[in-house]
Amino acid sequence: MTALQTAIDTRSANLMTISLDCLGKFITYNYVADMEDEVAQTQVMEKVVDGICDCFIGEETDKKVQLQIIKVMHRLCVCVCVCVCVWGDVT
């Protein structure tokens, strides 16, 4: 996660796009959901969401980065909703 955040901090559109794609894959392939420690799972998910948010810098955000933000947010919504429905943890 540190390497991805470092890439995001460079503000390079190419690096942010790649980092967002990796974060999306973490979500899609249940990297976070498969963690047994709930505290660690929460901390990692917070870092993922913070990383996504750090990529948006306002109207000057590159169009490719904006598209990747939308894609990763979609993955986040779909995977979290599916997990909640399957696991029955609607609280």
Side-chain angles (χ1 to χ4, degrees), residues 14-29:
N14 289 334
L15 291 176
M16 287 194 294
T17 302
I18 293 168
S19 296
L20 285 165
D21 184 55
C22 290
L23 291 173
K25 288 178 180 170
F26 280 148
I27 296 164
T28 301
Y29 295 109

Side-chain angles (χ1 to χ4, degrees), residues 1-88:
M1 296 298 299
T2 304
L4 296 175
Q5 186 61 48
T6 301
I8 290 167
D9 291 342
T10 66
R11 294 291 178 220
S12 164
N14 289 334
L15 291 176
M16 287 194 294
T17 302
I18 293 168
S19 296
L20 285 165
D21 184 55
C22 290
L23 291 173
K25 288 178 180 170
F26 280 148
I27 296 164
T28 301
Y29 295 109
N30 291 326
Y31 170 76
V32 178
D34 288 343
M35 298 176 75
E36 292 181 20
D37 182 8
E38 285 188 37
V39 173
Q41 183 181 22
T42 301
Q43 290 173 343
V44 170
M45 189 54 109
E46 286 177 1
K47 288 181 182 180
V48 168
V49 172
D50 287 344
I52 295 167
C53 293
D54 288 345
C55 290
F56 186 76
I57 51 177
E59 290 184 19
E60 62 270 8
T61 304
D62 186 88
K63 299 292 184 199
K64 291 178 185 177
V65 174
Q66 288 183 26
L67 179 61
Q68 200 63 35
I69 290 170
I70 292 168
K71 287 180 179 179
V72 74
M73 291 303 291
H74 179 263
R75 288 178 180 175
L76 182 64
C77 291
V78 169
C79 289
V80 168
C81 290
V82 168
C83 291
V84 168
C85 291
V86 170
W87 293 339

